[in-house]
PDB file of all heavy atoms in Angstrom:
ATOM      1  N   LYS A  68       2.754 -13.175  -2.603  1.00  0.00           N
ATOM      2  CA  LYS A  68       1.863 -13.054  -3.759  1.00  0.00           C
ATOM      3  C   LYS A  68       1.387 -11.610  -3.909  1.00  0.00           C
ATOM      4  O   LYS A  68       1.304 -11.098  -5.026  1.00  0.00           O
ATOM      5  CB  LYS A  68       0.663 -14.001  -3.595  1.00  0.00           C
ATOM      6  CG  LYS A  68      -0.218 -14.086  -4.795  1.00  0.00           C
ATOM      7  CD  LYS A  68       0.515 -14.727  -5.943  1.00  0.00           C
ATOM      8  CE  LYS A  68      -0.403 -14.922  -7.136  1.00  0.00           C
ATOM      9  NZ  LYS A  68       0.294 -15.517  -8.263  1.00  0.00           N
ATOM     10  N   ALA A  69       1.091 -10.947  -2.803  1.00  0.00           N
ATOM     11  CA  ALA A  69       0.661  -9.549  -2.860  1.00  0.00           C
ATOM     12  C   ALA A  69       1.780  -8.677  -3.430  1.00  0.00           C
ATOM     13  O   ALA A  69       1.532  -7.812  -4.278  1.00  0.00           O
ATOM     14  CB  ALA A  69       0.253  -9.060  -1.477  1.00  0.00           C
ATOM     15  N   ARG A  70       3.014  -8.885  -2.978  1.00  0.00           N
ATOM     16  CA  ARG A  70       4.156  -8.125  -3.521  1.00  0.00           C
ATOM     17  C   ARG A  70       4.321  -8.400  -5.008  1.00  0.00           C
ATOM     18  O   ARG A  70       4.640  -7.506  -5.781  1.00  0.00           O
ATOM     19  CB  ARG A  70       5.435  -8.501  -2.782  1.00  0.00           C
ATOM     20  CG  ARG A  70       5.563  -7.830  -1.457  1.00  0.00           C
ATOM     21  CD  ARG A  70       6.945  -8.067  -0.871  1.00  0.00           C
ATOM     22  NE  ARG A  70       7.020  -7.526   0.467  1.00  0.00           N
ATOM     23  CZ  ARG A  70       7.443  -8.193   1.520  1.00  0.00           C
ATOM     24  NH1 ARG A  70       7.859  -9.429   1.402  1.00  0.00           N
ATOM     25  NH2 ARG A  70       7.474  -7.614   2.696  1.00  0.00           N
ATOM     26  N   GLU A  71       4.104  -9.647  -5.388  1.00  0.00           N
ATOM     27  CA  GLU A  71       4.201 -10.023  -6.795  1.00  0.00           C
ATOM     28  C   GLU A  71       3.183  -9.249  -7.631  1.00  0.00           C
ATOM     29  O   GLU A  71       3.451  -8.893  -8.775  1.00  0.00           O
ATOM     30  CB  GLU A  71       3.940 -11.533  -6.896  1.00  0.00           C
ATOM     31  CG  GLU A  71       4.436 -12.213  -8.134  1.00  0.00           C
ATOM     32  CD  GLU A  71       4.177 -13.708  -8.045  1.00  0.00           C
ATOM     33  OE1 GLU A  71       4.819 -14.379  -7.214  1.00  0.00           O
ATOM     34  OE2 GLU A  71       3.319 -14.201  -8.808  1.00  0.00           O
ATOM     35  N   MET A  72       2.014  -8.983  -7.054  1.00  0.00           N
ATOM     36  CA  MET A  72       0.966  -8.229  -7.747  1.00  0.00           C
ATOM     37  C   MET A  72       1.164  -6.724  -7.633  1.00  0.00           C
ATOM     38  O   MET A  72       0.392  -5.955  -8.172  1.00  0.00           O
ATOM     39  CB  MET A  72      -0.408  -8.603  -7.170  1.00  0.00           C
ATOM     40  CG  MET A  72      -0.828 -10.011  -7.485  1.00  0.00           C
ATOM     41  SD  MET A  72      -2.505 -10.377  -6.921  1.00  0.00           S
ATOM     42  CE  MET A  72      -2.254 -10.566  -5.170  1.00  0.00           C
ATOM     43  N   GLY A  73       2.182  -6.295  -6.889  1.00  0.00           N
ATOM     44  CA  GLY A  73       2.452  -4.870  -6.746  1.00  0.00           C
ATOM     45  C   GLY A  73       1.727  -4.222  -5.585  1.00  0.00           C
ATOM     46  O   GLY A  73       1.613  -3.008  -5.516  1.00  0.00           O
ATOM     47  N   ILE A  74       1.227  -5.019  -4.666  1.00  0.00           N
ATOM     48  CA  ILE A  74       0.518  -4.501  -3.503  1.00  0.00           C
ATOM     49  C   ILE A  74       1.449  -4.605  -2.301  1.00  0.00           C
ATOM     50  O   ILE A  74       1.816  -5.701  -1.896  1.00  0.00           O
ATOM     51  CB  ILE A  74      -0.776  -5.292  -3.238  1.00  0.00           C
ATOM     52  CG1 ILE A  74      -1.673  -5.244  -4.463  1.00  0.00           C
ATOM     53  CG2 ILE A  74      -1.486  -4.777  -2.009  1.00  0.00           C
ATOM     54  CD1 ILE A  74      -2.843  -6.194  -4.393  1.00  0.00           C
ATOM     55  N   ASN A  75       1.843  -3.445  -1.750  1.00  0.00           N
ATOM     56  CA  ASN A  75       2.723  -3.450  -0.583  1.00  0.00           C
ATOM     57  C   ASN A  75       2.500  -2.212   0.283  1.00  0.00           C
ATOM     58  O   ASN A  75       3.418  -1.682   0.871  1.00  0.00           O
ATOM     59  CB  ASN A  75       4.185  -3.543  -1.010  1.00  0.00           C
ATOM     60  CG  ASN A  75       4.601  -2.375  -1.862  1.00  0.00           C
ATOM     61  OD1 ASN A  75       3.790  -1.566  -2.280  1.00  0.00           O
ATOM     62  ND2 ASN A  75       5.880  -2.274  -2.129  1.00  0.00           N
ATOM     63  N   TRP A  76       1.274  -1.759   0.387  1.00  0.00           N
ATOM     64  CA  TRP A  76       0.953  -0.527   1.112  1.00  0.00           C
ATOM     65  C   TRP A  76       1.328  -0.597   2.586  1.00  0.00           C
ATOM     66  O   TRP A  76       1.613   0.402   3.211  1.00  0.00           O
ATOM     67  CB  TRP A  76      -0.527  -0.178   0.971  1.00  0.00           C
ATOM     68  CG  TRP A  76      -1.439  -1.300   1.345  1.00  0.00           C
ATOM     69  CD1 TRP A  76      -2.007  -2.199   0.501  1.00  0.00           C
ATOM     70  CD2 TRP A  76      -1.860  -1.667   2.658  1.00  0.00           C
ATOM     71  NE1 TRP A  76      -2.758  -3.103   1.203  1.00  0.00           N
ATOM     72  CE2 TRP A  76      -2.693  -2.805   2.537  1.00  0.00           C
ATOM     73  CE3 TRP A  76      -1.637  -1.152   3.936  1.00  0.00           C
ATOM     74  CZ2 TRP A  76      -3.288  -3.414   3.621  1.00  0.00           C
ATOM     75  CZ3 TRP A  76      -2.229  -1.772   5.011  1.00  0.00           C
ATOM     76  CH2 TRP A  76      -3.043  -2.877   4.846  1.00  0.00           C
ATOM     77  N   TRP A  77       1.360  -1.777   3.163  1.00  0.00           N
ATOM     78  CA  TRP A  77       1.675  -1.908   4.592  1.00  0.00           C
ATOM     79  C   TRP A  77       3.141  -1.599   4.885  1.00  0.00           C
ATOM     80  O   TRP A  77       3.476  -1.278   6.011  1.00  0.00           O
ATOM     81  CB  TRP A  77       1.330  -3.309   5.086  1.00  0.00           C
ATOM     82  CG  TRP A  77       2.123  -4.372   4.408  1.00  0.00           C
ATOM     83  CD1 TRP A  77       3.338  -4.846   4.801  1.00  0.00           C
ATOM     84  CD2 TRP A  77       1.797  -5.065   3.215  1.00  0.00           C
ATOM     85  NE1 TRP A  77       3.782  -5.801   3.918  1.00  0.00           N
ATOM     86  CE2 TRP A  77       2.852  -5.958   2.925  1.00  0.00           C
ATOM     87  CE3 TRP A  77       0.718  -5.030   2.346  1.00  0.00           C
ATOM     88  CZ2 TRP A  77       2.851  -6.780   1.819  1.00  0.00           C
ATOM     89  CZ3 TRP A  77       0.725  -5.870   1.254  1.00  0.00           C
ATOM     90  CH2 TRP A  77       1.778  -6.723   0.999  1.00  0.00           C
ATOM     91  N   GLU A  78       4.008  -1.679   3.884  1.00  0.00           N
ATOM     92  CA  GLU A  78       5.418  -1.405   4.106  1.00  0.00           C
ATOM     93  C   GLU A  78       5.682   0.074   4.345  1.00  0.00           C
ATOM     94  O   GLU A  78       6.599   0.429   5.068  1.00  0.00           O
ATOM     95  CB  GLU A  78       6.237  -1.893   2.914  1.00  0.00           C
ATOM     96  CG  GLU A  78       6.257  -3.406   2.808  1.00  0.00           C
ATOM     97  CD  GLU A  78       6.964  -3.896   1.562  1.00  0.00           C
ATOM     98  OE1 GLU A  78       7.370  -3.057   0.726  1.00  0.00           O
ATOM     99  OE2 GLU A  78       7.115  -5.117   1.418  1.00  0.00           O
ATOM    100  N   GLY A  79       4.883   0.939   3.724  1.00  0.00           N
ATOM    101  CA  GLY A  79       5.089   2.372   3.866  1.00  0.00           C
ATOM    102  C   GLY A  79       4.152   3.040   4.848  1.00  0.00           C
ATOM    103  O   GLY A  79       4.246   4.244   5.069  1.00  0.00           O
ATOM    104  N   ASP A  80       3.237   2.310   5.428  1.00  0.00           N
ATOM    105  CA  ASP A  80       2.274   2.892   6.358  1.00  0.00           C
ATOM    106  C   ASP A  80       2.901   2.992   7.747  1.00  0.00           C
ATOM    107  O   ASP A  80       3.170   1.980   8.386  1.00  0.00           O
ATOM    108  CB  ASP A  80       1.018   2.018   6.425  1.00  0.00           C
ATOM    109  CG  ASP A  80      -0.132   2.698   7.129  1.00  0.00           C
ATOM    110  OD1 ASP A  80       0.118   3.632   7.924  1.00  0.00           O
ATOM    111  OD2 ASP A  80      -1.281   2.297   6.891  1.00  0.00           O
ATOM    112  N   PRO A  81       3.145   4.227   8.232  1.00  0.00           N
ATOM    113  CA  PRO A  81       3.824   4.365   9.523  1.00  0.00           C
ATOM    114  C   PRO A  81       2.998   3.846  10.704  1.00  0.00           C
ATOM    115  O   PRO A  81       3.557   3.483  11.724  1.00  0.00           O
ATOM    116  CB  PRO A  81       4.053   5.870   9.645  1.00  0.00           C
ATOM    117  CG  PRO A  81       3.051   6.487   8.749  1.00  0.00           C
ATOM    118  CD  PRO A  81       2.825   5.507   7.636  1.00  0.00           C
ATOM    119  N   TYR A  82       1.689   3.794  10.563  1.00  0.00           N
ATOM    120  CA  TYR A  82       0.859   3.322  11.662  1.00  0.00           C
ATOM    121  C   TYR A  82       0.890   1.803  11.807  1.00  0.00           C
ATOM    122  O   TYR A  82       0.438   1.267  12.794  1.00  0.00           O
ATOM    123  CB  TYR A  82      -0.576   3.818  11.500  1.00  0.00           C
ATOM    124  CG  TYR A  82      -0.660   5.307  11.697  1.00  0.00           C
ATOM    125  CD1 TYR A  82      -0.702   6.167  10.619  1.00  0.00           C
ATOM    126  CD2 TYR A  82      -0.637   5.850  12.970  1.00  0.00           C
ATOM    127  CE1 TYR A  82      -0.745   7.540  10.803  1.00  0.00           C
ATOM    128  CE2 TYR A  82      -0.668   7.216  13.165  1.00  0.00           C
ATOM    129  CZ  TYR A  82      -0.728   8.056  12.079  1.00  0.00           C
ATOM    130  OH  TYR A  82      -0.751   9.406  12.266  1.00  0.00           O
ATOM    131  N   LEU A  83       1.431   1.117  10.813  1.00  0.00           N
ATOM    132  CA  LEU A  83       1.544  -0.332  10.895  1.00  0.00           C
ATOM    133  C   LEU A  83       2.967  -0.783  11.188  1.00  0.00           C
ATOM    134  O   LEU A  83       3.242  -1.967  11.221  1.00  0.00           O
ATOM    135  CB  LEU A  83       1.081  -0.968   9.577  1.00  0.00           C
ATOM    136  CG  LEU A  83      -0.389  -0.763   9.243  1.00  0.00           C
ATOM    137  CD1 LEU A  83      -0.708  -1.364   7.890  1.00  0.00           C
ATOM    138  CD2 LEU A  83      -1.282  -1.357  10.314  1.00  0.00           C
ATOM    139  N   SER A  84       3.852   0.176  11.407  1.00  0.00           N
ATOM    140  CA  SER A  84       5.235  -0.181  11.697  1.00  0.00           C
ATOM    141  C   SER A  84       5.587   0.209  13.126  1.00  0.00           C
ATOM    142  O   SER A  84       4.850   0.908  13.808  1.00  0.00           O
ATOM    143  CB  SER A  84       6.182   0.515  10.717  1.00  0.00           C
ATOM    144  OG  SER A  84       6.250   1.892  11.007  1.00  0.00           O
ATOM    145  N   SER A  85       6.759  -0.209  13.546  1.00  0.00           N
ATOM    146  CA  SER A  85       7.205   0.101  14.898  1.00  0.00           C
ATOM    147  C   SER A  85       7.618   1.555  15.034  1.00  0.00           C
ATOM    148  O   SER A  85       7.823   2.045  16.136  1.00  0.00           O
ATOM    149  CB  SER A  85       8.364  -0.811  15.268  1.00  0.00           C
ATOM    150  OG  SER A  85       9.440  -0.617  14.370  1.00  0.00           O
ATOM    151  N   LYS A  86       7.741   2.269  13.930  1.00  0.00           N
ATOM    152  CA  LYS A  86       8.156   3.665  13.944  1.00  0.00           C
ATOM    153  C   LYS A  86       6.984   4.619  14.168  1.00  0.00           C
ATOM    154  O   LYS A  86       7.171   5.827  14.159  1.00  0.00           O
ATOM    155  CB  LYS A  86       8.834   4.027  12.625  1.00  0.00           C
ATOM    156  CG  LYS A  86      10.084   3.230  12.351  1.00  0.00           C
ATOM    157  CD  LYS A  86      10.661   3.618  11.011  1.00  0.00           C
ATOM    158  CE  LYS A  86      11.867   2.773  10.664  1.00  0.00           C
ATOM    159  NZ  LYS A  86      12.396   3.099   9.348  1.00  0.00           N
ATOM    160  N   ALA A  87       5.798   4.100  14.356  1.00  0.00           N
ATOM    161  CA  ALA A  87       4.604   4.935  14.442  1.00  0.00           C
ATOM    162  C   ALA A  87       4.705   5.969  15.551  1.00  0.00           C
ATOM    163  O   ALA A  87       4.446   7.151  15.325  1.00  0.00           O
ATOM    164  CB  ALA A  87       3.361   4.063  14.630  1.00  0.00           C
ATOM    165  N   GLN A  88       5.073   5.562  16.752  1.00  0.00           N
ATOM    166  CA  GLN A  88       5.155   6.500  17.880  1.00  0.00           C
ATOM    167  C   GLN A  88       6.212   7.563  17.625  1.00  0.00           C
ATOM    168  O   GLN A  88       6.012   8.733  17.943  1.00  0.00           O
ATOM    169  CB  GLN A  88       5.441   5.753  19.181  1.00  0.00           C
ATOM    170  CG  GLN A  88       4.233   5.036  19.739  1.00  0.00           C
ATOM    171  CD  GLN A  88       3.073   5.975  19.997  1.00  0.00           C
ATOM    172  OE1 GLN A  88       2.171   6.093  19.177  1.00  0.00           O
ATOM    173  NE2 GLN A  88       3.088   6.652  21.108  1.00  0.00           N
ATOM    174  N   THR A  89       7.345   7.169  17.068  1.00  0.00           N
ATOM    175  CA  THR A  89       8.411   8.117  16.764  1.00  0.00           C
ATOM    176  C   THR A  89       7.935   9.156  15.753  1.00  0.00           C
ATOM    177  O   THR A  89       8.175  10.359  15.917  1.00  0.00           O
ATOM    178  CB  THR A  89       9.647   7.379  16.209  1.00  0.00           C
ATOM    179  OG1 THR A  89      10.021   6.368  17.126  1.00  0.00           O
ATOM    180  CG2 THR A  89      10.800   8.318  15.969  1.00  0.00           C
ATOM    181  N   LEU A  90       7.236   8.699  14.719  1.00  0.00           N
ATOM    182  CA  LEU A  90       6.747   9.616  13.700  1.00  0.00           C
ATOM    183  C   LEU A  90       5.667  10.548  14.246  1.00  0.00           C
ATOM    184  O   LEU A  90       5.618  11.729  13.896  1.00  0.00           O
ATOM    185  CB  LEU A  90       6.221   8.835  12.497  1.00  0.00           C
ATOM    186  CG  LEU A  90       7.281   8.118  11.670  1.00  0.00           C
ATOM    187  CD1 LEU A  90       6.632   7.269  10.589  1.00  0.00           C
ATOM    188  CD2 LEU A  90       8.241   9.113  11.047  1.00  0.00           C
ATOM    189  N   ILE A  91       4.821  10.047  15.120  1.00  0.00           N
ATOM    190  CA  ILE A  91       3.778  10.881  15.710  1.00  0.00           C
ATOM    191  C   ILE A  91       4.412  11.969  16.574  1.00  0.00           C
ATOM    192  O   ILE A  91       4.018  13.137  16.503  1.00  0.00           O
ATOM    193  CB  ILE A  91       2.783  10.012  16.527  1.00  0.00           C
ATOM    194  CG1 ILE A  91       1.954   9.145  15.587  1.00  0.00           C
ATOM    195  CG2 ILE A  91       1.895  10.879  17.400  1.00  0.00           C
ATOM    196  CD1 ILE A  91       1.139   8.083  16.285  1.00  0.00           C
ATOM    197  N   GLU A  92       5.404  11.610  17.374  1.00  0.00           N
ATOM    198  CA  GLU A  92       6.094  12.584  18.223  1.00  0.00           C
ATOM    199  C   GLU A  92       6.850  13.606  17.378  1.00  0.00           C
ATOM    200  O   GLU A  92       6.813  14.811  17.653  1.00  0.00           O
ATOM    201  CB  GLU A  92       7.055  11.861  19.175  1.00  0.00           C
ATOM    202  CG  GLU A  92       7.848  12.780  20.081  1.00  0.00           C
ATOM    203  CD  GLU A  92       6.986  13.618  21.006  1.00  0.00           C
ATOM    204  OE1 GLU A  92       5.855  13.217  21.329  1.00  0.00           O
ATOM    205  OE2 GLU A  92       7.445  14.707  21.399  1.00  0.00           O
ATOM    206  N   GLU A  93       7.509  13.156  16.326  1.00  0.00           N
ATOM    207  CA  GLU A  93       8.237  14.065  15.437  1.00  0.00           C
ATOM    208  C   GLU A  93       7.277  15.028  14.753  1.00  0.00           C
ATOM    209  O   GLU A  93       7.559  16.223  14.633  1.00  0.00           O
ATOM    210  CB  GLU A  93       8.994  13.249  14.392  1.00  0.00           C
ATOM    211  CG  GLU A  93       9.874  14.063  13.481  1.00  0.00           C
ATOM    212  CD  GLU A  93      10.628  13.181  12.503  1.00  0.00           C
ATOM    213  OE1 GLU A  93      11.224  12.184  12.937  1.00  0.00           O
ATOM    214  OE2 GLU A  93      10.610  13.504  11.306  1.00  0.00           O
ATOM    215  N   ASN A  94       6.130  14.531  14.351  1.00  0.00           N
ATOM    216  CA  ASN A  94       5.113  15.369  13.719  1.00  0.00           C
ATOM    217  C   ASN A  94       4.612  16.437  14.696  1.00  0.00           C
ATOM    218  O   ASN A  94       4.448  17.599  14.332  1.00  0.00           O
ATOM    219  CB  ASN A  94       3.956  14.502  13.230  1.00  0.00           C
ATOM    220  CG  ASN A  94       2.968  15.272  12.396  1.00  0.00           C
ATOM    221  OD1 ASN A  94       3.260  16.352  11.904  1.00  0.00           O
ATOM    222  ND2 ASN A  94       1.790  14.711  12.239  1.00  0.00           N
TER     223      ASN A  94
END
Side-chain angles (χ1 to χ4, degrees):
K68 187 66 175 179
R70 281 189 186 129
E71 200 177 291
M72 292 185 284
I74 302 169
N75 61 351
W76 53 264
W77 62 89
E78 291 175 355
D80 192 338
Y82 291 99
L83 295 177
S84 72
S85 60
K86 298 178 184 177
Q88 284 302 97
T89 306
L90 291 174
I91 290 169
E92 179 61 25
E93 185 178 312
N94 188 17

